[in-house]
C-alpha cells in the first residue's frame, strides 16, 4: 500500500517516490529516473507520518522559518515566543531563541540569508499533505534552526560546536549537518562524541569532491564516532552521483542527492546577488532544485 500526499509538487520528489516520472534538473530542463530508485517514503507513510515529538536540528545557514511549507513544523521555544524581547525567558543561556539560534551573529534570529539550510529543512520536514509545495520525509516534525554558516556558506568550527551543544542541550536527538571540508578538529570530534553519549545522532554529508574519504579525509563526516552517519549522494537511477565522495570505511549510506526539489527562502536579501554569481544561475523563490551530498544527508535525517 502507498500513502501519497496531496502536495502539488510531490511528483517532483523522485527521491521520495520514483515512478520514472519527469522532474526538474539543476541545470534546467527535465530528467527521468528509474521506477523505485527512491527511499520508499509512501510505503513508510502507510505506517507512520507523525514525527511531531522529534526535534531535528538543521545546523547550516539558518532556516527561513516563516516559509509557508515550514512554519508549522518549526521547533518553537514557547517561553521565548511569549516572553520579553532581549531577555532569556527560559534561562537556557540565550536571548530570544524562539526557533533556534544564530551562532554566527550571536543573536536569536537564525533566519537563512543563503538558501542552503532552508532547502535542507524542506527535505527533512516540509509540511506533508497540506496541499501546498512539497512534502518532507517527515510530514510533521520539529525543525530547530541553528545558523553558523554565513550568506556565502562559510563558517567557523567554534560556532559549529556551539550549534551542536545547543541542539543537544535543548532536546534535539537528530542533528543534520550538510557541511564539511575543514581540517581535523579534536574539539569538534569530542563535541560530537559527547552528543552521542547524550543520545544524539549526527548525520553528515560526505562531500562533493568525487574522492574516496578512506584516503582523502573529510570532516566532520569522517570522524570515527559511533553516532555519525556519513551520507553519500545517489541519483534517480540509484547510482552514486559522479561527484559524490564515498568510502567503504568512512561512509555509511547513500541517499538521494542529485536534482533535489525543496523549499527555498521566500524573500530576497542582498546576499542573493552574490549567491547568483556563486552558483552561476538564477533562482526563483519558494521552491528550487539543487544537488549535493548536502541534499542527501537530510533524507537520512528525516528517515
Ligand atoms: Ca532563551
Ligand atoms: Ca507541503
Amino acid at each position: 500500500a502507498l500513502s501519497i500526499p496531496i502536495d502539488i509538487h510531490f511528483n517532483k520528489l523522485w527521491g521520495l517516490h520514483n515512478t520514472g516520472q519527469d522532474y526538474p534538473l539543476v541545470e534546467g530542463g527535465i530528467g527521468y529516473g528509474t521506477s523505485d530508485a527512491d527511499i520508499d517514503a509512501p510505503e513508510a507513510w502507510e505506517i507512520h507520518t507523525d514525527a511531531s515529538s522529534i526535534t531535528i536540528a538543521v545546523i547550516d545557514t539558518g532556516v527561513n522559518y516563516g516559509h509557508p511549507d515550514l512554519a508549522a513544523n518549526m521547533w518553537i521555544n514557547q517561553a521565548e515566543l511569549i516572553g520579553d524581547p532581549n531577555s532569556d525567558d527560559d534561562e537556557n543561556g540565550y536571548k530570544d531563541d524562539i526557533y533556534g539560534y544564530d551562532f554566527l551573529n550571536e543573536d536569536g534570529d537564525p533566519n537563512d540569508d543563503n538558501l542552503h539550510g532552508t532547502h535542507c529543512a524542506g527535505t527533512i520536514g516540509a509540511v506533508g499533505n497540506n496541499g501546498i509545495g512539497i512534502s518532507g520525509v517527515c510530514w510533521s516534525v520539529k525543525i530547530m534552526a541553528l545558523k553558523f554558516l554565513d550568506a556565502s556558506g562559510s563558517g567557523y568550527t567554534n560556532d559549529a560546536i556551539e550549534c551542536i551543544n545547543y541542539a543537544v542541550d535543548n532536546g534535539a536527538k537528530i542533528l543534520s549537518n550538510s557541511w564539511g571540508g575543514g581540517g581535523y578538529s579534536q574539539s569538534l570530534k569530542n563535541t560530537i562524541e559527547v552528543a552521542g553519549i547524550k543520545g544524539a545522532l549526527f548525520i553528515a554529508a560526505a562531500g562533493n569532491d568525487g574522492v574516496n574519504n578512506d584516503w582523502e579525509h573529510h570532516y566532520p563526516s569522517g570522524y570515527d564516532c559511533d553516532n555519525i552517519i556519513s551520507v553519500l549522494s545517489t541519483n534517480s537511477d540509484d547510482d552514486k552521483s559522479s561527484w559524490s565522495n564515498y568510502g567503504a570505511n568512512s561512509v555509511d549510506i547513500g541517499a538521494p542527492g542529485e536534482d533535489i526539489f525543496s523549499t527555498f527562502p521566500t524573500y530576497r536579501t542582498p546576499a542573493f546577488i552574490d549567491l547568483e554569481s556563486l552558483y552561476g544561475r538564477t533562482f526563483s523563490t519558494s521552491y528550487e532544485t539543487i544537488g549535493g551530498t548536502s541534499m542527501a544527508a537530510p533524507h537520512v535525517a528525516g528517515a
Side-chain angles (χ1 to χ4, degrees):
L2 298 175
S3 183
I4 305 293
I6 60 172
D7 306 85
I8 57 169
H9 292 307
F10 179 71
N11 65 352
K12 295 181 171 68
L13 309 182
W14 68 264
L16 301 192
H17 185 45
N18 194 343
T19 59
Q21 80 274 34
D22 62 272
Y23 59 85
L25 298 171
V26 168
E27 64 266 28
I30 57 172
Y32 298 89
T34 301
S35 185
D36 207 32
D38 56 33
I39 70 165
D40 282 350
E43 289 87 336
W45 292 329
E46 276 295 305
I47 301 165
H48 197 72
T49 59
D50 179 12
S52 60
S53 65
I54 307 293
T55 299
I56 303 183
V58 175
I59 300 176
D60 209 286
T61 59
V63 175
N64 183 210
Y65 47 76
H67 192 292
D69 222 1
L70 293 173
N73 276 351
M74 293 304 300
W75 176 81
I76 302 277
N77 185 345
Q78 200 65 31
E80 294 288 354
L81 182 68
I82 62 172
D84 299 320
N86 202 30
S87 154
D88 180 13
D89 298 283
D90 65 335
E91 299 183 338
N92 69 347
Y94 300 95
K95 294 177 181 176
D96 306 335
D97 51 325
I98 297 173
Y99 305 103
Y101 202 75
D102 176 352
F103 286 96
L104 174 72
N105 299 301
E106 298 191 348
D107 63 47
D109 185 6
N111 211 338
D112 187 4
D113 54 4
N114 185 279
L115 55 88
H116 195 267
T118 299
H119 199 277
C120 293
T123 295
I124 292 169
V127 179
N129 212 35
N130 67 345
I132 65 165
I134 61 161
S135 174
V137 176
C138 303
W139 286 12
S140 175
V141 69
K142 291 185 172 68
I143 298 165
M144 178 187 285
L146 294 172
K147 178 176 174 64
F148 84 103
L149 299 172
D150 66 18
S152 65
S154 297
Y156 296 98
T157 299
N158 284 347
D159 290 339
I161 287 171
E162 290 188 287
C163 288
I164 295 164
N165 287 332
Y166 179 100
V168 172
D169 291 345
N170 290 278
K173 294 292 190 198
I174 300 172
L175 282 50
S176 190
N177 296 273
S178 289
W179 53 276
Y184 185 92
S185 162
Q186 189 64 48
S187 54
L188 176 56
K189 180 173 185 283
N190 291 349
T191 301
I192 295 168
E193 281 177 351
V194 170
I197 290 165
K198 293 180 178 176
L201 279 175
F202 189 94
I203 318 299
N208 307 319
D209 309 302
V211 300
N212 186 335
N213 285 351
D214 291 356
W215 303 99
E216 307 280 338
H217 295 302
H218 181 271
Y219 303 116
S221 72
Y223 289 126
D224 185 16
C225 300
D226 290 344
N227 61 320
I228 291 179
I229 301 177
S230 173
V231 187
L232 65 73
S233 170
T234 61
N235 64 24
S236 64
D237 295 320
D238 250 350
D239 293 322
K240 183 186 78 65
S241 301
S242 59
W243 37 257
S244 179
N245 294 5
Y246 55 96
N249 295 315
S250 54
V251 176
D252 299 299
I253 195 169
E258 210 167 314
D259 301 306
I260 303 301
F261 188 80
S262 184
T263 47
F264 196 82
T266 54
Y267 60 89
R268 294 245 168 176
T269 69
F272 277 104
I273 298 164
D274 296 322
L275 268 181
E276 298 203 329
S277 58
L278 182 68
Y279 282 82
R281 55 177 289 205
T282 58
F283 292 106
S284 58
T285 56
S286 300
Y287 300 91
E288 265 289 358
T289 304
I290 56 176
T293 57
S294 285
M295 284 65 246
H299 281 89
V300 174

